[in-house]
């Protein structure tokens, strides 16, 4: 890891001590503090008023039991989480993740990142994150519904369109949001559409929300490539994952003339030198809820499935990690750079390890950190809240135009902030500083609360 400013070291030491064993949260805090040395040199009041300590401490952390019955009548107990990280800019906003790996440290890292990401969108939303160690894989429709209802039966008392507005994340898509919204409505006897985002179009969802994170990341990378006179046209692109973010990244990359040659799931990856058929991936993943291994069998010639090894061994011009945290290591980064990598756009949250980020930055690879590049999802969630508040429903074109403008503005803010702080082209520094300053200024204005 890169060292941090001496004045910030005691803050980091205290975060590590008070949040023992939460490796991902430590990593996320370390990465932001690395960027803040230049800020406190220019604006010492952030340090004097303890704004950095305050920003590292969640406002509220909720952990609860989620009991549910499976189809055979057996009782299961999962753990639910909601970390309401920061509400200086607006109601807590951030997704719910259902995955067996979920624990409080992972939710805290995600909530911390979310706070800065949401600030970068320029929209009035605070940061939060939640989820459960429930694994939706292999569960029946009824089991998923019963779990979602039980989860919401506790969580609902902590939510509200002016308080906390969750959305989806890994393992939580339109189906799960529907069941949770239904239960919230039943428990509160209120049709409070703005309490959850990522809803279906039939009951208050926004057009283009499903596509937003992947499209947004692609537009961010397009803007970054343009600074070097490059475009996606003819570029070989590797996208990890095959879920919501990955699918719509692949769709937009192809629309901009790029060729996606590989994607994955947690079982392995497929390479298709003719270009991944996004329609087929959608059919396998969104409709049948199947495995990516089926792609090679269904596509036939030119496509093959690989287990073991790393998707990042596939030579490419642009890498778009869109699965999960720490999926792209230092070793992967070295291979990618050796193979002539031009740019990275992080669709997932914190997918590159600190080593990998260091290698990309040192090699002059254009690097878009997740907290900036994948902000399109939450930005469109905020647009969904706007539509719900005004009882309106925008066209897909209108929503995508707003989203494209927001992504351009996030890109330009990160680039301009990096310039201002003497590190042109460093989007990590630009994103961390711009996000931090926005939240810290609001917190300072609100007093010590
Ligand atoms: P999905 O559940 O739709 O898809 C996740 C994909 O990643 C699946 O292909 C899954 O494979 C794969 N995956 C998950 N865990 C692992 C793992 N440990 N190793 C390898 N592959 C894995 O989730 P999303 O697409 O919504 O989210 C992907 C990432 O993007 C996450 O980091 C999320 O926080 C981030 N993100 C999502 C946003 C959104 O709008 N949805 C917004 C901003 C960020 P398998 O099916 O085998 O588990």
């Amino acid at each position: 890891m890169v060292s941090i400013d001496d004045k910030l070291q005691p803050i980091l030491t205290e975060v590590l001590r008070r949040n023992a064993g939460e490796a991902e949260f430590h990593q996320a805090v370390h990465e932001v503090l690395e960027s803040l040395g230049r800020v406190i040199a220019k604006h010492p009041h952030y340090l004097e008023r303890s704004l950095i300590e305050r920003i590292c401490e969640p406002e509220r952390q909720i952990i609860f039991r989620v009991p549910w019955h499976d189809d055979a009548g057996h009782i299961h107990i999962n753990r639910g989480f909601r970390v309401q990280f920061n509400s200086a800019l607006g109601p807590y906003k951030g997704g719910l993740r259902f995955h067996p790996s979920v624990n409080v440290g992972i939710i805290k890292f995600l909530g911390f990142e979310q706070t800065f990401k949401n600030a970068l969108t320029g929209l009035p939303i605070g940061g939060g994150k939640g989820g459960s160690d429930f694994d939706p894989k292999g569960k029946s429709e009824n089991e998923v519904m019963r779990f979602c209802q039980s989860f919401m039966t506790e969580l609902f008392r902590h939510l509200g369109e002016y308080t906390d507005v969750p959305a989806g994340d890994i393992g939580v898509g339109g189906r799960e949001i529907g069941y949770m919204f239904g239960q919230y409505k039943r428990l509160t006897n209120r049709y409070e559409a703005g309490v959850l985002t990522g809803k279906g179009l039939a009951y208050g969802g926004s057009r283009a929300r499903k596509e937003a994170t992947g499209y947004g990341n692609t537009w961010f990378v397009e803007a970054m490539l343009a600074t070097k006179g490059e475009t996606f046209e003819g570029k070989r692109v590797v996208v990890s994952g095959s879920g919501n973010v990955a699918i719509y990244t692949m769709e937009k990359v192809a629309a901009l003339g790029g060729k996606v040659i590989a994607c994955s799931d947690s079982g392995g990856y497929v390479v298709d030198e003719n270009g991944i058929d996004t329609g087929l991936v959608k059919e396998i993943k969104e409709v049948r809820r199947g495995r990516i291994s089926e792609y090679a069998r269904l596509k036939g010639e030119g496509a093959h499935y690989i287990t073991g090894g790393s998707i990042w061994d596939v030579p490419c011009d642009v890498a778009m990690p869109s699965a999960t945290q720490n999926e792209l290591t230092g070793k992967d980064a070295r291979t990618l750079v050796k193979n002539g990598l031009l740019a990275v756009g992080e669709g997932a949250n914190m997918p590159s390890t600190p080593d990998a980020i260091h290698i990309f930055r040192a090699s002059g690879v254009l690097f878009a950190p997740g907290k900036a590049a994948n902000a399109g999802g939450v930005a469109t969630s905020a647009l969904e809240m706007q539509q719900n508040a005004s009882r309106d429903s925008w066209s897909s074109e209108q929503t995508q135009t707003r989203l494209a403008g927001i992504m351009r503005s996030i890109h330009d803010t990160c680039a301009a902030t990096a310039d201002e702080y003497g590190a042109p082209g460093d989007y990590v520094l630009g994103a961390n500083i711009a996000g931090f300053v926005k939240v810290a200024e609001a917190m300072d204005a609100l007093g010590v609360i």
Side-chain angles (χ1 to χ4, degrees), residues 85-266:
F85 220 105
N86 195 298
S87 61
L89 297 178
Y92 310 106
K93 181 90 200 82
L96 298 170
R97 175 177 292 190
F98 292 170
H99 192 272
S101 63
V102 163
N103 59 40
V104 70
I106 288 184
I107 299 299
K108 271 158 79 175
F109 117 66
L110 289 164
F112 183 72
E113 290 279 293
Q114 192 82 45
T115 300
F116 303 109
K117 177 189 314 194
N118 293 3
L120 286 171
T121 66
L123 299 165
I125 40 179
K129 201 82 186 187
S132 173
D133 56 0
F134 173 74
D135 186 358
K137 272 200 211 93
K139 303 294 189 297
S140 71
E141 285 286 324
N142 279 331
E143 288 171 335
V144 169
M145 182 173 75
R146 283 196 293 274
F147 176 81
C148 290
Q149 290 176 341
S150 181
F151 182 82
M152 187 51 88
T153 299
E154 170 57 32
L155 188 64
F156 88 100
R157 69 191 82 249
H158 307 289
L159 306 184
E161 63 177 310
Y162 298 106
T163 307
D164 186 351
V165 183
D169 191 78
I170 291 177
V172 178
R175 175 182 63 171
E176 291 76 17
I177 293 290
Y179 294 148
M180 287 190 274
F181 182 68
Q183 186 71 353
Y184 183 88
K185 185 173 84 60
R186 185 185 194 189
L187 289 164
T188 58
N189 195 28
R190 271 202 314 272
Y191 205 103
E192 192 184 331
V195 75
L196 280 169
T197 60
K199 298 183 295 297
L201 284 181
Y203 62 97
S206 172
R207 290 186 177 79
R209 171 61 187 90
K210 193 169 67 169
E211 294 85 353
T213 309
Y215 281 17
N217 185 23
T218 311
W219 282 324
F220 192 105
V221 173
E222 186 189 33
M224 211 168 56
L225 287 170
T227 65
K228 302 283 179 213
E230 295 277 3
T231 68
F232 267 109
E233 193 63 46
K235 297 287 186 301
R236 286 169 62 88
V237 181
V238 169
V239 179
S240 62
S242 49
N244 172 265
V245 178
I247 287 173
Y248 294 96
T249 301
M250 296 193 269
E251 186 169 279
K252 185 51 78 180
V253 166
L256 295 178
K259 191 179 192 186
V260 180
I261 43 168
C263 68
S264 62
D265 63 18
S266 54

Side-chain angles (χ1 to χ4, degrees), residues 245-315:
V245 178
I247 287 173
Y248 294 96
T249 301
M250 296 193 269
E251 186 169 279
K252 185 51 78 180
V253 166
L256 295 178
K259 191 179 192 186
V260 180
I261 43 168
C263 68
S264 62
D265 63 18
S266 54
Y269 62 98
V270 283
V271 178
D272 185 347
E273 286 292 343
N274 297 318
I276 295 281
D277 176 345
T278 312
L280 183 55
V281 178
K282 277 188 193 170
E283 166 69 25
I284 295 168
K285 287 291 183 177
E286 288 185 341
V287 181
R288 294 198 226 162
R289 298 183 186 274
R291 309 302 301 156
I292 204 65
S293 54
E294 294 165 39
Y295 180 95
R297 188 169 49 77
L298 293 167
K299 182 75 187 300
E301 206 170 319
H304 52 286
Y305 175 65
I306 297 156
T307 48
S310 164
I311 192 172
W312 309 117
D313 292 340
V314 180

